[in-house]
Each structure stands twice: as C-alpha cells, then as structure tokens.
Amino acid sequence: MWPILRIELFKIFSRPRTYISFVAITVIVALIQLALYVDGKNYIQFGMQSLTQGFDIEGNVLNGYLVCFIILQTLLIHVPLLIALVAGDAIAGEANMGTLRILLTRPVGRVELLLAKFAASLVYTLLLLVWMALLALFLSLFIFGKGDLMILKSEEVVVLAQNDVFWRYGWAFLFASLSMVMVAALAFLLSIFADNSIGPIITTMSIVILFTILTTLDIPFFQLLRPWLFTTHMLGWKAFFDDPIPWQAVSQSAAILLLHILFFAILGAWVFKRKDILS
Amino acid sequence: MLFLMGIGPVAAWSQDADKLLQQVKNKLALVKDYVAEGSMKTDIPFVKMADANVVVYFRQPDQFRVQRANGISILPKGGVQGSLHTILSNKSFTPVAAGNTNMDGKYLAVIKLLPVDEKSEIVLITLYVDEKTALVWHTSSTTRNNGTYETKLQYGKYASMGLPDQVQFIFNTTEFKLPKAMSVEYETGKTAKPATAAKDNKGRITISYKRYTVNKGIPNDIFK
C-alpha cells in the first residue's frame, strides 16, 4: 500500500491548490495576530466588559496562549472547508478527469486504492493542523509571550496558570485532528458518489455550516438535536481548557467522532466496491 | 442637668473611640511601606482559578497593589482594602464608639467611622478592635457604589507593626452571564456550578502572607 500512498501524496502535493490552504491559514493567522498586536487591548476590554464592571483584572491577559485560543476558535470552523477541498476531490477529481477507470485497471484492489487515497487525505489534514499549531501557538507565544490563560464561558470564568496550559494545547490539537479527520472522512465519502469535485466539497461545507448553526443557536428546540450533531462533539477541544477536564464527556465525544469516521470509511468502501465506474 | 447626665457617657465613649483609633493609627504609622510575599486564594462563585503566589506592595498613604508574577489576578473593583492603611490613612473620619462584641472568641471594641467628607465613596466603616493590642481583627465598609466589603484579619509574628499574617476580603457578587453564541461552548451535558462556588453569593479573596519587607522603599513604577 505504501507505493500507492506515495503516488497519492505526490498527486496531492503537486497540485498548486493544495497549498492554497496553507497560504490561507498563514494569512488569516498573521492578520489576527497583527490585529491583536495593534489593537488587542481594546478587543480584550470589549470581550471582558461584563467582568470588568465589577472586577479589576490585573496582569498580561493578552498573551500567546489567549491569542492561540482566539485563533483556534475562529479558524476551526473554517478549516473544514480547506480540508474538503482536498478530501472531496480525492475520488471525484479522478472521475472528473476520466482517470478513475484507468486507475482501477491496474493490479490494485479497490479497497486498497481507496485506503491509500483516504490515508493521503489524512496526511494532508494532519499537516494542515500541524502548520496551524506552529503558527497559532508557537508564533503567538513568540510575539505575545507567555501568561495565564483566561477563558470567558457563558456562566463562568476559567483562569489557568501558565505552566498548566501547554499540555492542554497538545490534547486540544490532538482532538481537533480527530474532528478534522472526521470532516475529511465525510468529504471523502461524498467524493465517491460524485463525478465532479465541486459537489462533495460544497455538500460537505453545507452540512458542516448547517450543523454548526444548529449547534451554536441557543434555541431550546435545537438543544434536543445537539447531542446528535457531530459539530457539537467537534467542539470537544475546548474541554481541555476547563478545570477539571470533563474526561468522560470528552472521551464520549471522541468515541462518537471515531464512530463517524469508521462509519464513513466502511460505507465508502462498501459503495466504492460495488460502484459501476464509468468515468 | 438630666441632659448633661445623658450626654456625659456618650462624650466619654467618643473620647475612648478617638483614643483607640489613634492607637490603631499610631501602630499603622510604624510602616511607611512594605513588600510582602504570600499566596492568594480566589473564591468567587463564577471564577475557577488556582491558588497563586503573589507579591503585595504597599506605600503610605494608600497605594496598594497585588501582583502575580506573569499571572492574572481578578480583584473586586474598589474593594481590595488589602491593608488597613489604605482604609484609614489620610482620611478624615468621625469615630463613634458602638460598644463591645464577642467575635471569633475575642472580646473586641466596635468603632463606627463616619467620613467627614459628604461626597466620600465610603459611607460607613466599622472596625472591630482589640483594645489591649490596638489590632483590628475585622472591618466592614459600606460604599456608595460598590456595595459592602468585609475584611477579616489574622495576626502572627508581624503583629507588633499591625501587619496581618492573613487577610480575607469578603464582597458581594452578581451572576456572570455571556451569550452562548459568543462563547461557543462545548457542552458536557452537566449543568453543575463550579466546585468552589460560594453558597451565599459572596466572593472571598484570601491572602496569606509569608514574609514582609518593611520600610525599605518601593520604586514608583510598581504603582503605575
């Protein structure tokens, strides 16, 4: 399988559009960091209004850890689009170019080819997250320095000591990887059904956007739906910034995301094995 | 005659209160400035925060600052009367004796302090003072805009200078609310309040002092 994976990785990384995601993340992270560096104090004061009415906050609130948290909160909703660009193109792109049938004439099993393509999409997804972690965490720490991390939740304020934060980011990025792999698996599954990569990319994004809206809208009717939406569990990375960490809930969310990945992968393999490839 | 007999004891109490307040102030006047190392425990109903080491700076007449090294501290607005000096120094009050009371196993004199300035932010201060040592063990301050604050003090090896080993500030808190759409929260399915939540809706900040460095001077930039 390794030779096929190498070929698939070569295909992904030889396409200029693959690098659009890396450039986009670099630009967005740099812009957020620049904006916070120039006018971050006003932004923080605005965000903390409800707290500063009754309390004086002393210390370096706007530090690298908080900047990274703000970046992750902003970006992790949009990164699925960048992942869908590649994962949604994996099979549909070949079908669109008319190379899928030729590819399957080679002495490689369909499932093996599918796994190699899926693994290549995962490598791309994980590299994107590693790049994001490098920029969002390490560059922010370099620019803004270390400090305690203060997070405002809807009914409480959590302040984590600076020596208690870094390992939490390790877990948070690990969890975010699981979430993004799930998005990649969804886009990959949809890619099997399509003959054009635009379809699975847009469908993946539509599902993610719709579910995200249902997750974030604070309307009682939607609260019933929330536990059943994968976007609810994709927010699990935030749990690592609670004290104590709700391990049971996080493990449950991770298990649900894993089940989604397995389901999408198995369904994809099942469909692809039986699919009449005409293009 | 009856009138004079009536106001006689009141005048005597007032003199006692004046004298006792002066004794307290004299003790506090021994300290021009201090730097103290200690630990701070924050117990505010909606705040989850670990205990932290702090450095506390004070300089006469009323400059006071609690600093966490590279850390964040959340302190009640206008309410951290971290030092008795900041409560009493350089302010004009009319002391009124209000009898004696037993508090935490101590027999303490109660002095009410009424600010001379009508526009003062502080409306009333009540001091609970040990008459033998001129040490203040408890204060209660009612303010115009920031509610009522209490301070509980414990003394140890620095008692001769009127410096406490432990100070606890108690203040009223209101609920903290942020729209969920803003915080985009991960829901764990549990609605439990933070473990440290105080049941009486009061916040408590306790500073335990380990050591003081007294009258050695403090750079101006500390209080900027």
Side-chain angles (χ1 to χ4, degrees):
Chain A
M1 191 174 134
W2 173 237
I4 314 170
L5 178 61
R6 272 176 56 191
I7 293 166
E8 292 304 325
L9 284 173
F10 176 77
K11 279 187 201 169
I12 287 178
F13 288 99
S14 59
R15 274 191 301 235
R17 97 165 103 157
T18 302
Y19 299 98
I20 292 173
S21 310
F22 289 89
V23 174
I25 283 183
T26 309
V27 171
I28 296 168
V29 170
L31 281 175
I32 295 173
Q33 286 169 337
L34 178 71
L36 289 173
Y37 190 78
V38 173
D39 203 23
K41 281 189 179 168
N42 285 337
Y43 175 80
I44 296 298
Q45 273 172 3
F46 177 75
M48 295 198 307
Q49 263 178 348
S50 51
L51 186 63
T52 51
Q53 279 169 2
F55 292 89
D56 287 323
I57 314 292
E58 275 219 26
N60 180 23
V61 176
L62 186 66
N63 54 61
Y65 287 134
L66 181 68
V67 173
C68 181
F69 192 87
I70 293 168
I71 291 170
L72 290 194
Q73 178 138 310
T74 313
L75 267 186
L76 279 179
I77 298 167
H78 305 102
V79 169
L81 169 67
L82 304 173
I83 287 163
L85 275 176
V86 167
D89 183 60
I91 302 291
E94 297 271 9
N96 188 36
M97 288 189 294
T99 52
L100 188 57
R101 198 161 47 164
I102 299 165
L103 194 63
L104 290 170
T105 57
R106 295 172 68 191
V108 179
R110 283 193 180 195
V111 174
E112 203 180 345
L113 177 75
L114 200 74
L115 281 176
K117 280 192 171 290
F118 185 51
S121 300
L122 296 192
V123 170
Y124 161 82
T125 302
L126 296 177
L127 280 176
L128 201 63
L129 274 169
V130 169
W131 180 241
M132 194 169 144
L134 284 173
L135 291 177
L137 182 58
F138 293 100
L139 188 61
S140 296
L141 283 174
F142 178 72
I143 297 170
F144 295 90
K146 276 187 181 179
D148 290 357
L149 176 62
M150 184 159 84
I151 295 165
L152 302 185
K153 299 171 80 176
S154 61
E155 288 184 8
E156 65 184 28
V157 179
V158 181
V159 182
L160 300 167
Q162 59 171 306
N163 56 7
D164 190 31
V165 178
F166 193 81
W167 68 274
R168 292 172 188 268
Y169 271 112
W171 278 103
F173 275 109
L174 208 63
F175 194 94
S177 305
L178 193 64
S179 305
M180 294 306 125
V181 166
M182 199 232 63
V183 174
L186 173 64
F188 193 82
L189 170 68
L190 294 171
S191 177
I192 293 168
F193 291 99
D195 289 335
N196 187 317
S197 54
I198 294 170
I201 293 168
I202 291 177
T203 311
T204 306
M205 273 321 294
S206 302
I207 293 169
V208 171
I209 290 168
L210 177 70
F211 282 15
T212 303
I213 289 169
L214 294 178
T215 301
T216 49
L217 269 185
D218 197 20
I219 296 171
F221 174 71
F222 293 143
Q223 280 176 1
L224 296 169
L225 288 174
R226 274 183 204 158
W228 307 100
L229 304 173
F230 61 76
T231 43
T232 303
H233 302 285
M234 282 168 67
L235 291 173
W237 67 272
K238 289 189 173 186
F240 295 104
F241 299 97
D242 205 346
D243 193 24
I245 294 171
W247 286 107
Q248 198 185 340
V250 181
S251 309
Q252 202 177 331
S253 290
I256 288 168
L257 292 174
L258 266 173
L259 282 175
H260 273 84
I261 295 167
L262 280 175
F263 174 72
F264 292 151
I266 291 168
L267 181 64
W270 188 77
V271 171
F272 193 64
K273 221 174 167 185
R274 281 157 184 75
K275 193 179 179 188
D276 193 7
I277 311 285
L278 303 169
S279 52
Chain B
M1 189 69 172
L2 280 171
F3 174 75
L4 288 174
M5 283 171 71
I7 63 165
V10 174
W13 284 349
S14 182
Q15 279 176 7
D16 286 350
D18 256 337
K19 196 175 157 188
L20 189 53
L21 182 64
Q22 198 51 53
Q23 282 176 6
V24 171
K25 282 186 171 181
N26 289 344
K27 183 163 261 190
L28 298 180
L30 296 171
V31 178
K32 305 286 178 226
D33 59 65
Y34 67 73
V35 179
E37 291 167 42
S39 62
M40 184 166 76
K41 180 183 168 67
T42 304
D43 186 7
I44 303 171
F46 55 83
V47 174
K48 283 181 181 175
M49 196 173 183
D51 297 356
N53 290 327
V54 290
V55 180
V56 178
Y57 299 92
F58 166 76
R59 186 165 67 184
Q60 291 272 22
D62 57 2
Q63 288 175 303
F64 183 82
R65 185 173 178 195
V66 180
Q67 194 177 50
R68 279 180 69 177
N70 294 319
I72 297 168
S73 50
I74 300 176
L75 304 166
K77 209 168 210 115
V80 180
Q81 295 145 344
S83 163
L84 278 171
H85 301 75
T86 57
I87 299 174
L88 299 176
S89 61
N90 216 22
K91 293 184 185 84
S92 298
F93 293 103
T94 303
V96 178
N100 292 74
T101 187
N102 276 307
M103 188 176 276
D104 300 330
K106 293 179 189 69
Y107 188 67
L108 303 173
V110 183
I111 306 175
K112 304 269 182 190
L113 302 180
L114 302 167
V116 175
D117 181 5
E118 284 183 3
K119 290 176 184 170
S120 167
E121 164 63 10
I122 292 173
V123 177
L124 175 70
I125 296 174
T126 308
L127 299 180
Y128 299 82
V129 189
D130 184 339
E131 289 176 279
K132 288 176 192 163
T133 57
L135 289 175
V136 179
W137 289 83
H138 190 115
T139 75
S140 170
S141 308
T142 305
T143 64
R144 219 175 273 277
N145 299 310
N146 292 310
T148 299
Y149 300 96
E150 285 178 64
T151 312
K152 287 183 176 177
L153 303 103
Q154 301 281 329
Y155 293 92
K157 55 185 175 178
Y158 295 96
S160 58
M161 285 182 280
L163 296 173
D165 279 8
Q166 190 185 77
V167 180
Q168 186 180 54
F169 316 102
I170 305 165
F171 48 93
N172 295 322
T173 58
T174 51
E175 277 193 5
F176 174 78
K177 285 270 182 193
L178 202 67
K180 279 192 177 175
M182 254 181 94
S183 57
V184 194
E185 238 158 79
Y186 172 66
E187 287 176 9
T188 57
K190 289 177 186 172
T191 52
K193 291 274 179 193
T196 53
K199 285 172 189 166
D200 53 6
N201 233 17
K202 283 182 185 280
R204 288 171 175 79
I205 291 176
T206 309
I207 299 178
S208 302
Y209 295 103
K210 286 173 194 147
R211 70 183 69 86
Y212 285 92
T213 308
V214 181
N215 296 337
K216 299 285 182 194
I218 297 173
N220 285 331
D221 57 345
I222 291 290
F223 298 105
K224 280 180 185 172

